Amino acid sequence: MLKWFKQLDRILRGDATRMSLLAEGQMKTPVGGLSVAVVLLGVLYGLCMGSFTMIRTGGEAYMQLIASAVKLPMLFFLTLAVTFPSLYVFNALIGTRLSVLSAMRLLVAALGVMLAVLASLGPIVVFFALSTKSYPFMILLNVATGTIAGVLGLGFLLRTLDRLVVIQQSLESGRFEPPPQADPDKQATDAKTQPTGALDRAGKITTRRAKRVFRVWTTVFALVGAQMSWVLRPFIGSPALQFEWFRERESNFFIAVLHSFIRLFSW
Amino acid sequence: MSFVWPNTGMMLLYAENVLRARPWAVQDGQPGRKLAQLGLLVAAFGVTYGAVMGSFGGVFGERFWQVVYSAAKVPLLLLGTFALSLPSFFVVNTLFGLRSDFSHSLRALLATQAGLTIILASFAPFTVVWYASCSDYRGAILFNTLMFGCASLAAQWLLRRFYEPLIERNPRHRTLLRAWLVIYAFVGIQMAWVLRPFIGNPAAPTQFFRQDAWGNAYVRLVHILLTYLGG
């Protein structure tokens, strides 16, 4: 198990996405072990999320705890499963040459970053779950943690895509010289010229191709993810309502948002 | 204690070093021991101020327990907030490529906490004089808030000195330090709210937690604001 988390750690540190390791313009991070780490982190944050209802109902709604722990990793992987075919096709259409495996690796790595940040905010969520009675506050808090994790995860996705595109472009024009393998003497100078962290830019500006793929990917992933989270709700679980695995399948996320807008203004 | 310091005199010497922002805390070597030393400083000086803060209603009989509770609560507030905010700080530091400096930042932050409690402990005599001269409970709350505010401001200055070498090495540390302060304040305010009462209303019975205290500081704040605005 430690091995899987070490792989995640390499991604977080940016070791797995160094330019010298992406030399063929493809991702090389392992998918299998990393996915397990992502699932475990998802379970962890799911527990933090579900703890609110359990604490508020004095342990009666312990099922919500289990349900949230199961649903949270499901949300990410189901969304990935549904969107992956189209994401791959867009990537091929627009002209980034990621192989199927490479695209999968990249997306799982981005999920890894997202869930690592999310899980690290878990203790704060539990602390507020312990001390708060307000359900809306918990929703807002979870939205905030989700936003932080999302921004950092997407930042990682964009930067890594950009690095891959930079390498692919230089391979196409035949100008690419594979960076020298880790040379202990040169490492000090390398650290200044080469991006060191996982979120550093490869060049001065982000390449257009990377930006285009990124936009399409995030839009598709966000739309499907929003609907998926709607299908899988409740995640936190209102203490006032009975426990259910899934709420009734009324309408969808976007219509619900529209309705609440209409209600807001017609009131 | 003997693992950390041979005697109390050494501890005071280290406390002095923290105040002067000497680099022993943030220098490399023996990171575990230094963290233990800094944690103990926070506990020792936090207990000192907490005990004085809890002595508002007297120190005899039942009120003695308020002194004990308050003494426990000050280190609990600081170290609890610190522990809750730490995981996310660690992950974000790693993500921004600053993992190699993390041990250093950790000690700088804990040293700042230690500095904060030392400054607070030095204010304790003021609090005693205030308690001796004024028996208004609200006044006591305001005075203690003022003391905490002053100590926090002074500790900011210390924090900047501890963080200076890090920021020089990589300016990104400045951004992350700001992020840390935001998260720390967000958690800390709620922690302080949950741990009430720190002073203890002499008219109310002595308790570790107020029965109705388990609420949310932010929700309360919004309610109060809405009541004002809504009239």
Side-chain angles (χ1 to χ4, degrees):
Chain A
M1 196 157 108
L2 202 62
K3 204 179 89 195
W4 303 327
F5 281 97
K6 278 209 175 115
Q7 288 167 357
L8 180 63
D9 189 48
R10 272 171 55 78
I11 287 171
L12 289 176
R13 280 164 175 252
D15 287 349
T17 50
R18 271 193 214 301
M19 294 291 266
S20 52
L21 286 177
L22 304 174
E24 287 157 33
Q26 305 291 345
M27 284 289 279
K28 296 239 170 86
T29 51
V31 147
L34 193 59
S35 309
V36 181
V38 172
V39 169
L40 288 178
L41 288 173
V43 169
L44 190 68
Y45 189 74
L47 288 175
C48 300
M49 229 176 171
S51 65
F52 172 69
T53 307
M54 200 192 79
I55 292 164
R56 281 281 80 81
T57 56
E60 268 173 46
Y62 68 95
M63 280 304 286
Q64 181 64 50
L65 197 68
I66 300 170
S68 303
V70 175
K71 281 184 196 177
L72 200 90
M74 256 171 76
L75 166 66
F76 286 96
F77 279 99
L78 283 179
T79 308
L80 184 60
V82 169
T83 53
F84 185 71
S86 56
L87 296 188
Y88 175 72
V89 168
F90 281 126
N91 138 63
L93 264 181
I94 291 172
T96 42
R97 299 179 176 184
L98 293 177
S99 65
V100 177
L101 194 58
S102 205
M104 183 56 103
R105 283 172 171 161
L106 177 57
L107 286 164
V108 172
L111 284 189
V113 172
M114 225 179 265
L115 279 162
V117 176
L118 207 53
S120 74
L121 289 163
I124 297 178
V125 172
V126 175
F127 169 60
F128 275 94
L130 272 170
S131 57
T132 298
K133 290 194 189 86
S134 161
Y135 181 52
F137 180 84
M138 286 312 287
I139 296 179
L140 287 180
L141 182 65
N142 276 291
V143 169
T145 56
T147 311
I148 295 171
V151 166
L152 291 173
L154 291 179
F156 170 83
L157 183 65
L158 177 61
R159 294 288 172 249
T160 312
L161 258 177
D162 184 44
R163 286 180 198 181
L164 291 166
V165 168
V166 166
I167 291 171
Q168 284 171 357
Q169 278 176 343
S170 45
L171 278 176
E172 278 164 31
S173 58
R175 280 185 286 112
F176 185 70
E177 308 134 26
Q181 289 303 311
D183 185 1
D185 299 333
K186 278 196 73 185
Q187 228 152 34
T189 49
D190 267 9
K192 284 203 178 114
T193 51
Q194 287 220 352
T196 46
L199 294 181
D200 283 303
R201 243 184 258 257
K204 281 234 166 66
I205 47 162
T206 313
T207 49
R208 279 179 58 198
R209 219 191 277 171
K211 266 195 216 158
R212 241 182 278 156
V213 177
F214 175 75
R215 271 184 214 137
V216 175
W217 277 15
T218 42
T219 312
V220 172
F221 200 85
L223 288 179
V224 176
Q227 180 60 24
M228 191 65 80
S229 64
W230 185 258
V231 172
L232 291 180
R233 100 213 119 92
F235 283 93
I236 305 174
S238 166
L241 295 180
Q242 274 284 303
F243 169 76
E244 290 172 310
W245 276 94
F246 301 107
R247 295 261 186 261
E248 224 174 302
R249 236 181 302 156
E250 42 168 331
S251 77
N252 67 41
F253 177 79
F254 307 99
I255 293 180
V257 171
L258 191 68
H259 272 296
S260 29
F261 259 106
I262 293 170
R263 235 177 299 152
L264 190 65
F265 289 112
S266 63
W267 173 63
Chain B
M1 184 104 169
S2 60
F3 158 69
V4 191
W5 290 297
N7 53 49
T8 323
M10 274 304 258
M11 180 173 135
L12 292 178
L13 199 66
Y14 275 90
E16 155 112 354
N17 280 347
V18 167
L19 279 183
R20 295 184 188 276
R22 293 242 169 86
W24 72 269
V26 287
Q27 261 165 5
D28 291 330
Q30 296 186 311
R33 183 162 176 223
K34 277 175 184 165
L35 283 180
Q37 286 170 335
L38 291 171
L40 257 181
L41 283 180
V42 175
F45 286 93
V47 163
T48 311
Y49 187 77
V52 171
M53 183 161 67
S55 67
F56 178 63
V59 292
F60 299 112
E62 206 198 18
R63 297 300 301 177
F64 173 72
W65 289 106
Q66 184 61 52
V67 176
V68 175
Y69 295 157
S70 301
K73 278 176 181 183
V74 173
L76 207 60
L77 165 69
L78 293 172
L79 294 176
T81 309
F82 190 75
L84 282 175
S85 316
L86 206 55
S88 43
F89 187 63
F90 173 72
V91 170
V92 173
N93 261 288
T94 308
L95 205 50
F96 279 84
L98 303 173
R99 173 72 154 271
S100 49
D101 288 340
F102 186 70
S103 160
H104 189 156
S105 344
L106 190 62
R107 272 172 282 147
L109 291 175
L110 200 56
T112 308
Q113 306 257 297
L116 173 69
T117 51
I118 297 167
I119 297 166
L120 259 182
S122 79
F123 289 165
F126 294 151
T127 311
V128 173
V129 172
W130 182 270
Y131 283 179
S133 50
C134 172
S135 63
D136 181 28
Y137 179 55
R138 278 178 174 274
I141 294 180
L142 277 180
F143 185 78
N144 276 294
T145 314
L146 183 70
M147 289 299 102
F148 265 95
C150 289
S152 304
L153 278 182
Q156 283 292 318
W157 191 71
L158 206 53
L159 180 61
R160 204 179 298 166
R161 286 184 61 184
F162 277 126
Y163 241 73
E164 226 163 43
L166 284 169
I167 292 174
E168 235 166 64
R169 218 178 301 164
N170 192 338
R172 209 171 277 173
H173 276 297
R174 188 176 289 130
T175 320
L176 285 183
L177 183 59
R178 281 187 196 139
W180 163 263
L181 290 175
V182 170
I183 291 187
Y184 188 85
F186 178 72
V187 178
I189 288 172
Q190 173 67 7
M191 187 67 89
W193 183 260
V194 167
L195 287 178
R196 282 172 310 146
F198 281 91
I199 303 168
N201 191 345
T206 307
Q207 296 164 315
F208 193 80
F209 290 127
R210 284 261 170 83
Q211 222 123 55
D212 56 341
W214 284 73
N216 186 316
Y218 300 101
V219 173
R220 275 291 287 274
L221 191 69
V222 170
H223 274 274
I224 292 169
L225 279 180
L226 282 182
T227 331
Y228 268 116
L229 292 175

